[in-house]
Amino acid sequence: MKNLYNSLMYAARAHAQWEIETSFNIIKNRKKLLILFVMALPLLIPAMAHAAATLPTFIGGKAAFGPSFFSPSTFYGSIAVGVIAGLITGCIGAGGGFVITPALMSLGVKGILAVGTDMFHIFAKAIMGTTLHKKMGNVHAGLAIAFLVGSGLGVTGGGMINRALYNFNPIMSDFVISSIYVVLLGFLGIFAMSEYLTMRKSAPKAGGDAHGGPEKITALGAKLQSINLAPMIKFDGHVVPGGRRISGFFVAICGAATGFLASILGVGGGFVTFPMFVYGLGISTATTVGTDIFQIIFTAGYGSIAQYAIYGYVFYTLAMGMLLGSLFGIQIGAITTKVVPGTQIKAFYALAILAGFVNRLFALPEKLTQMGYITLSASAGALITKVGVWLFFGLVSIFAFWIISTFIRNIPKLRAEAAEEHDDIVTKGGVSQ
């Protein structure tokens, strides 16, 4: 279980690093800022951002919400969710994406809509971020194609199940999605808190590569690579002489599992791609990260549009609100890490994940009551749900306030460090000339 937690965290850190790179890349690139401005145009028209009365279903019209409804507080809440997720990602370097769907559901967004909207938000970010890894040569075409064949099937299956469940019983749909997040966030939160407590007592152990993966191929990876099952894909020629080979069939199976979970939970899927590729198939972390980020465009794009948007289960306005909020949050969070102790970062990460766990856990009694499985007064069920919402937003708000206030207090120090780095670059440039 500890190894599973570590592999999930390695994946989360790799994905967070991509988000941080993407964020800074967008902010510093005029062309990408222009693209972002065009994508955000619906948000800049007050009548559309507030009333959403004229919006088509697939970009957040009222009809898309089914039994729910769009309101200004929901839209502004999505920006706050993006800021919080960005702060977690930028400051902690992992885990921001895990709280987005639970946070949207806490704002009153139906589970299936939170999933579809989160997927679209990831897709929008991936469009502008993949070129980073392509330039580094880490995107392997063969692995990506085989993976996408499987992920297409997985996403389709996950989307069909989510829609069928919602059409059968919207309350049961919310219950299932919340239950899955209770298990996932509970697992991550408990181990994260344990890791923090251990970190306080002793120094972290060294080992692994830059992304935290194993230095050598695992026994399972060696076994699967020894199976000659066409089509065979050659990869990692830059790691070992002659490269390695793996059956595309195994890669497609990993893609199907990733696509299914991504479609059910509304995440990019990288948190499961990493352990399957690195630990299961024996693929290097650099190739895994590059290929995984590349596939997110297609997996999240196909899932959010073909499985959710065309059925009215994506709120474009909320997705863009989260994207804009996350760009701000990531910038502040990433810069603040220079002046924040690592142990405090670990503590806040554990609290943020556990807050999401408590939030979804406290939502279950009301859902079970509404479905008739337990007996509980409507007021009691609603109160338990509200307590979970208050605890969640209370804890993450404290975290956000702490990060932003720390950033503001240390602006002079950060400016001094930036000036020193600039002087060093100028000095080195002068010497080389």
Side-chain angles (χ1 to χ4, degrees), residues 69-371:
F69 61 92
F70 182 94
S71 68
S73 61
T74 310
F75 169 67
Y76 296 127
S78 71
I79 297 178
V81 169
V83 171
I84 291 170
L87 287 172
I88 294 173
T89 298
C91 183
I92 297 171
F98 290 132
V99 302
I100 290 180
T101 296
L104 287 179
M105 293 178 72
S106 296
L107 293 174
V109 180
K110 295 297 180 183
I112 190 172
L113 294 159
V115 167
T117 301
D118 191 10
M119 283 195 80
F120 190 86
H121 150 255
I122 294 169
F123 170 54
K125 190 176 292 183
I127 291 175
M128 294 182 275
T130 304
T131 53
L132 292 171
H133 285 280
K134 182 64 176 177
K135 289 178 181 178
M136 292 190 297
N138 290 338
V139 178
H140 190 283
L143 293 174
I145 292 172
F147 187 93
L148 290 173
V149 170
S151 70
L153 296 175
V155 167
T156 301
M160 290 176 65
I161 290 175
N162 253 359
R163 296 196 310 273
L165 190 59
Y166 181 79
N167 291 332
F168 174 73
N169 188 335
I171 298 174
M172 183 175 290
S173 172
D174 277 12
F175 174 79
V176 170
I177 294 172
S178 294
S179 297
I180 295 174
Y181 268 102
V182 165
V183 175
L184 175 63
L185 296 179
F187 174 79
L188 291 174
I190 291 171
F191 273 95
M193 183 58 71
S194 174
E195 187 177 56
Y196 160 68
L197 295 174
T198 302
M199 186 178 180
R200 288 185 61 185
K201 297 177 181 179
S202 60
K205 296 179 180 180
D209 59 20
H211 289 287
E215 296 176 346
K216 298 180 180 180
I217 186 173
T218 62
L220 176 59
K223 176 66 176 178
L224 293 178
Q225 290 181 22
S226 68
I227 299 175
N228 190 10
L229 179 62
M232 298 296 291
I233 301 173
K234 186 177 179 180
F235 62 95
D236 280 352
H238 64 289
V239 177
V240 295
R244 295 168 176 155
R245 299 171 76 244
I246 190 75
S247 171
F249 183 74
F250 297 138
V251 178
I253 291 176
C254 292
T258 299
F260 181 79
L261 288 173
S263 188
I264 290 290
L265 297 175
V267 293
F271 74 99
V272 288
T273 303
F274 189 95
M276 286 192 294
F277 264 39
V278 175
Y279 292 91
L281 303 184
I283 298 173
S284 69
T285 54
T287 300
T288 295
V289 172
T291 305
D292 178 52
I293 297 304
F294 178 76
Q295 65 83 19
I296 286 178
I297 284 186
F298 300 95
T299 299
Y302 170 68
S304 61
I305 295 174
Q307 298 301 315
Y308 291 104
I310 62 175
Y311 297 98
Y313 297 137
V314 166
F315 261 73
Y316 181 85
T317 49
L318 301 189
M320 292 308 302
M322 287 192 297
L323 178 57
L324 294 175
S326 69
L327 289 177
F328 169 79
I330 286 175
Q331 303 288 317
I332 300 298
I335 295 173
T336 307
T337 55
K338 297 180 180 180
V339 292
V340 176
T343 52
Q344 290 184 350
I345 290 177
K346 287 282 187 182
F348 271 110
Y349 171 71
L351 287 176
I353 295 299
L354 287 174
F357 161 74
V358 171
N359 173 268
R360 287 301 86 204
L361 181 65
F362 279 35
L364 297 183
E366 184 178 27
K367 303 299 179 184
L368 289 170
T369 301
Q370 292 171 342
M371 291 187 293

